[in-house]
Amino acid sequence: MDRLDHLYRWVDDRLDLAGAQSFLGKAFPAEDSFLLGEVALFCFLLLVLSGVFLGFFFEPSTSEVEYEGSVAQYQGEELPESFVSVLNITYDVPFGMLIRRMHHWAAHLMIAATGLHMLRVFFTGAYRNPREPNWLIGTGLAGVTMFAAYTGYALPFDEFASTAVGIGYNVSLSIPIVGETIANLAFGGSFPSSATIPRFYFLHVLVLPATIAGLIGLHMLVLVRQKHTEARRDADVPAPGGDDATAADGGAVASDDDSVVVGLPAFPNQAAVSAVVFFLTLATLSLLAGFLPVHNIAEYGPNDPASTPSLIMPDWFLMWGYGFLKLTPSWLSFDVLGVHVSAEFVGGLALPGLVFGLVALWPFIDYEPEPTHFTADPLERPFQTGVGVAGVVFIMIASIAGMDVILGHVVGMTTAQLKPYLIAALALGPPLAGLIVYAGLGGFADGEPPDDEPTADTGRDE
Ligand code: HEM
């Protein structure tokens, strides 16, 4: 014991552990939906770990090498090195297939968890003053995470992924004035060239993960500084002591006092909950990786510039942008001051950019002048909840439009026949859904609509 005390004092002298106690005592509201952000965080961690494993075996090069692995159909063939290395990871490296699948599913789960986390923040109004900075950082995180997944998708250099990634190349080229420079910078020259894979590899393993890690760090710093939002309390809560939950007024936190957070201390309680969330995330990814195959590159074959797969589709999280591209009519090309704006640019970048821009600006559109620390009940906010539902319906219809070939097959129509219906659905569906929600929540009722909760007029205790 003496030795342990001695060790503790040795570390304490150097790192001021006592000073860190106020941080370790920070309160986390015990609210399950607040764990979605943690799921995204743990997916990122697992992506880095599995990515390091893959990095030992992946070759970022398109030079032709002879394939000597165990897939019979390619034996003795000259194939691009990156394609060969992913075949080796999948079929010859011990645990390679499992780790490759875990990496793949972790990327998908991270994006899904980020999207759900964002919806949680939106519908509970947790983006409002003073949390606009974290909403902005979060929007950036969502964009960079999707771009990181896109660059990873291209790395095996198989026929399907290369063709799908080529859509992004054409869209970057369509940017007025600077398109060619941006496309050259991101894709290492024209696509697909021998420089594309090394360029994407550099972005995928260094630039984008470092950016995501930096943004997550900033996101967490702002969160710790501002503290969590918290659901409104039904009654006064006895203060158990500790940093946040110590009430100045005789050991109880008043139900309407949002200057303190009531919840579990960061250590050890919340840390234990987080450990459970981590292992559940790991278990989910292990199950997915164990049972669900990913992108079967042996079936698609290596990139072949001379052929085009019959069905080209990006991953599900980019499908809405692809839907915009498909629905934008080709006559929507025009010249402004001698600069050509193509339909590809309008559908592939301007519209998705507008969506991202509106999302980023939302806390300033639904502006709250006073700091608000209690979460809102979505059922009491007809306007905001209606807008949120309309937004979700919009993204869903745009995503269905991205899968128009499959939809056409199901309903027995050509994509050209479907197009006007999809455009009408995209224009009318979201406002209709939003109006139904608005009306259902009493937005049209006489008098004031159900009020947002009262706001606090104080800052928060440190
Ligand atoms: C890589 C993606 C992301 C990660 C790892 C992440 C992580 C987290 C974590 C762990 C929390 C605290 C727990 C929680 O409230 O869920 C949090 C809070 C928050 N996040 Fe994120 N987040 C991400 C993306 C986003 C996005 C896309 C947005 C919105 C555009 C966003 C906005 C916020 C806000 C406003 C809070 C404070 C919520 C509150 O106090 O109730 N985050 N984030």
Side-chain angles (χ1 to χ4, degrees):
M1 218 41 194
D2 270 359
R3 288 210 171 144
L4 272 183
D5 278 351
H6 185 70
L7 181 67
Y8 175 81
R9 250 177 282 120
W10 189 88
V11 179
D12 189 30
D13 283 347
R14 281 147 189 87
L15 300 178
D16 185 22
L17 295 183
Q21 269 174 5
S22 70
F23 172 74
L24 295 178
K26 276 205 177 300
F28 276 70
E31 172 56 62
D32 293 346
S33 67
F34 286 20
L35 299 175
L36 285 165
E38 291 194 15
V39 174
L41 183 67
F42 295 141
C43 282
F44 178 64
L45 198 70
L46 292 166
L47 274 168
V48 172
L49 291 176
S50 51
V52 168
F53 177 94
L54 297 175
F56 283 116
F57 305 101
F58 179 73
E59 292 297 337
S61 150
T62 50
S63 309
E64 302 267 305
V65 291
E66 189 181 330
Y67 179 69
E68 293 170 343
S70 52
V71 181
Q73 80 197 85
Y74 295 120
Q75 281 287 339
E77 267 191 56
E78 293 284 319
L79 300 169
E81 208 171 356
S82 55
F83 181 77
V84 166
S85 66
V86 179
L87 280 182
N88 288 342
I89 288 171
T90 313
Y91 299 104
D92 294 298
V93 171
F95 298 106
M97 184 187 279
L98 181 79
I99 304 288
R100 179 176 167 226
R101 287 181 180 183
M102 280 185 86
H103 192 73
H104 176 102
W105 289 122
H108 286 252
L109 188 60
M110 178 171 173
I111 293 175
T114 304
L116 291 175
H117 166 61
M118 188 171 174
L119 289 179
R120 187 292 277 176
V121 170
F122 180 91
F123 284 110
T124 61
Y127 54 80
R128 292 172 299 177
N129 180 1
R131 291 180 179 72
E132 307 94 330
N134 243 0
W135 175 266
L136 287 172
I137 297 166
T139 312
L141 265 171
V144 181
T145 306
M146 285 199 254
F147 189 43
Y150 171 79
T151 52
Y153 191 54
L155 292 181
F157 207 51
D158 62 285
E159 173 62 355
F160 188 93
S162 304
T163 315
V165 168
I167 303 167
Y169 175 69
N170 289 329
V171 169
S172 340
L173 265 187
S174 73
I175 302 173
I177 306 175
V178 290
E180 208 173 324
T181 314
I182 290 185
N184 281 343
L185 206 67
F187 292 81
S190 64
F191 179 84
S193 76
S194 59
T196 305
I197 295 299
R199 180 61 51 93
F200 266 36
Y201 187 61
F202 164 66
L203 291 171
H204 186 73
V205 305
L206 181 70
V207 179
L208 298 171
T211 310
I212 294 174
L215 286 174
I216 291 181
L218 205 60
H219 201 54
M220 295 300 96
L221 214 68
V222 175
L223 176 85
V224 169
R225 187 87 188 110
Q226 298 185 324
K227 303 177 190 170
H228 266 89
T229 51
E230 186 190 339
R232 290 188 76 75
R233 301 171 205 125
D234 295 332
D236 293 355
V237 181
D243 171 29
D244 294 330
T246 304
D249 57 348
V253 181
S255 64
D256 61 352
D257 178 3
D258 76 348
S259 67
V260 291
V261 181
V262 174
L264 304 175
F267 189 84
N269 307 48
Q270 179 61 32
V273 173
S274 299
V276 172
V277 175
F278 173 78
F279 286 114
L280 281 178
T281 307
L282 181 60
T284 307
L285 291 176
S286 307
L287 270 178
L288 286 171
F291 289 103
L292 294 184
V294 298
H295 202 71
N296 186 351
I297 64 157
E299 190 188 319
Y300 298 132
N303 170 249
D304 177 5
S307 84
T308 309
S310 53
L311 181 66
I312 311 169
M313 273 199 310
D315 273 330
W316 59 270
F317 49 84
L318 294 174
M319 201 64 81
W320 57 283
Y322 192 46
F324 288 157
L325 253 184
K326 293 218 161 182
L327 294 188
T328 312
S330 52
W331 50 259
L332 206 71
S333 303
F334 48 91
D335 289 290
V336 194
L337 303 171
V339 175
H340 183 63
V341 178
S342 66
E344 208 160 18
F345 172 71
V346 174
L349 266 178
L351 280 177
L354 190 70
V355 171
F356 258 94
L358 283 175
V359 168
L361 287 179
W362 177 251
F364 307 97
I365 298 170
D366 178 33
Y367 189 65
E368 185 72 57
E370 297 294 336
T372 307
H373 302 298
F374 283 134
T375 51
D377 180 349
L379 302 181
E380 290 175 2
R381 306 203 312 157
F383 174 67
Q384 290 86 343
T385 304
V387 170
V389 170
V392 173
V393 170
F394 183 72
I395 294 297
M396 282 167 67
I397 297 177
S399 301
I400 292 172
M403 296 182 281
D404 60 350
V405 177
I406 297 174
L407 181 65
H409 200 69
V410 173
V411 298
M413 290 167 86
T414 64
T415 52
Q417 287 168 331
L418 271 178
K419 196 167 170 172
Y421 293 103
L422 287 169
I423 293 178
L426 192 64
L428 301 177
L432 194 68
L435 274 176
I436 292 172
V437 170
Y438 184 74
L441 296 181
F444 289 118
D446 281 346
E448 286 285 295
D451 207 8
D452 228 355
E453 71 267 17
T455 55
D457 57 0
T458 54
R460 312 196 97 187
D461 286 353
E462 263 314 299

